[in-house]
Amino acid sequence: MKVAVIGTGYVGLTQAACLAELGNEVIGIDNNSSKIQMLNSGEMPIYENGMKPIVISNMKEGRLKFTTDINEINGSQIIFICVGTPPGSDGKPNLSYVENVANQIGNVLKHYAVIVEKSTVPVRTADWMKLILRNKLKTDFDVAVNPEFLREGTAVDDFFYPDRIVVGTDSPKADAVLSELYKPLNAPILHVSLESAELIKHGSNAFLAMKISYANMFSRLCEKAGADVETVMKGIGLDKRIGESFFRAGIGYGGFCFPKDLDAFVSVLEDHNVDASLLKAVKKLNDSQAEHFVNKIVSVMGSLKDKRIGVLGLAFKAGTDDMRLAPSIPIISKLHSLGANIYAYDPKSMDNAKAIDEFKNINFVSSMCQAVEGCDALAILTEWPEFRDLDFNKVKESTNLIFDGRNMFNINRMRSAGFSYHSIGRK
Ligand code: NAD
C-alpha cells in the first residue's frame, strides 16, 4: 500500500520504517528540516534499538522516503498523523500540532484517503478533526483512530509483535483498508468506535501508571515493615488477573507518555464530571518518589555539601535516549541544590541530557568508570544492562556506598561484597 506518515518522531519513524519493512511504499513527512536531512543522509534523529538497519535498507530499496513537503501525501491511501501532543500548563494536551496537520491535509489532499489519528489525544478529538477536514476538503475521506502502544527501547519489536491492534472508525471502508495494512502482523485486531479507540489508549497508560505507583507504595511499606518489594510484587503479579509486568518499584515512571497521558486523562474525566481522585493519587505518589530517593541518600550521607556523586543513567528508562520527564531530572536537581557535585554518565542520552536546563551545572563524563572514579557515592538512575558489568573492585577504590534506584543488584551479594547498598523497598 502507499502510506504517508506525518511526524517522524519516536512513533512516526517506527510506523514509517516498519510499514516499509512489511513491503509498503512509505513517505515520512516532518516539518523539522534538520530531522529530515539527517534521515535522508542515513542518520537517526533518535536512538531506538534495531531502527537504523530497517530505515537504511528500506531507503535503499526505495520503499521509504522522507520529505518536509506536505504535498507528498498525495498518492497515499492512508495518512497517519503522528505529531506530538505535549502537555499544556493546565495538564491538558496541546492539540495545536494535530490541528495544524489536519488543516494542512485539508489544504492539499486531492483524493480519497483514510486519515488516521495515531497521536495520543482526548476522547472526541477525531470528531473535531473530522469537522476541520470536512470544512476544507473537496474530496471524500474517512477518519480512523489507531492508537500506538509501543514502548521506547523496544519500539520495533512492539510494532512487529503487538498484543493487539486497535482500529477505531465508523467507516467500514476505512476499517477494511487498515485491516488489510496490518494483516501481515497476524495480530488480533479490535474493531471499535472512534471514541472507544481514543479511550483505550488513555485507559491503558493510566492503568500501567497505576500499577507502577502501586508497586512504589508497597516499596515504602516494605522499607518500614522489613519485607522485600521485589518478592511481594512478584507474589501479587503471578496472579494472572494482575500480571507481573510494569509492577516493579523504582524512582517512579517518567518519559513522555505516562506523566502527560495521566494528566490528560484526569482532565478528560473532570471535563465529563467523573471523579478522578484515583488517578490523582497515582500521580501524587509518583511525583514524590524522586524526593523519597533523595531523602534516602541524605539519611545515609548527611550533608551533601561538596560530596561527589557519580550517577549512572539519565534516560527515563533503558533502551532509549529520551530524557523527557525523566525522574533523573528532579533527583539530580535536588542533589545539586543540596550541594552535591554530580558526575553523570548515560550510554545513549548524553546529547539530550546536555540540552536540559536543570543539568547546566552538572558534569557529564564519557564512561561508567569516569562516573565512579573519586566519587563519595554512586547513584543508579536507569537500568541499562551494561551497568550489570560494573567493575565492583574499581567502585570500591572510590566508595562502598551505592544507591540503586532500579533494584538492579542482588542485595545479599552486594552486602557480602562489603557495599553499603541501598535500593528501593528492600531492607
Ligand atoms: P515526537 O515529539 O518524538 O515526534 C513528533 C514529530 O512531529 C516531531 O518530529 C515534529 O517535528 C513533528 N511535527 C510536528 N508538527 C508537524 C507538522 N505540522 N508537520 C510535520 N511534522 C510535524 O513525538 P512522539 O514521541 O513520536 O509522539 C507522537 C505522539 O504519539 C504523541 O501524541 C504521543 O503521546 C504518542 N505516543 C508516543 C509514544 C512514545 O513512546 N513516544 C508511544 C505511544 C504514543
Side-chain angles (χ1 to χ4, degrees), residues 20 54 71 112 147 158 191 211 235 240 243 320 327 355:
I54 298 185
N71 287 289
Y112 172 85
D158 290 341
H191 305 271
K211 279 187 90 176
K240 287 195 188 68
T320 179

Side-chain angles (χ1 to χ4, degrees), residues 50 60 150 217 346:
K60 270 197 187 131
L150 69 76
M217 176 189 80
D346 187 284

Side-chain angles (χ1 to χ4, degrees), residues 369-381:
C369 284
Q370 286 176 13
V372 167
E373 216 173 274
C375 70
D376 296 300
L378 190 63
I380 299 168
L381 303 186

Side-chain angles (χ1 to χ4, degrees), residues 174-190:
D175 189 59
V177 169
L178 286 169
S179 301
E180 183 65 25
L181 180 76
Y182 286 124
K183 202 167 163 192
L185 294 178
N186 280 324
I189 299 183
L190 201 63

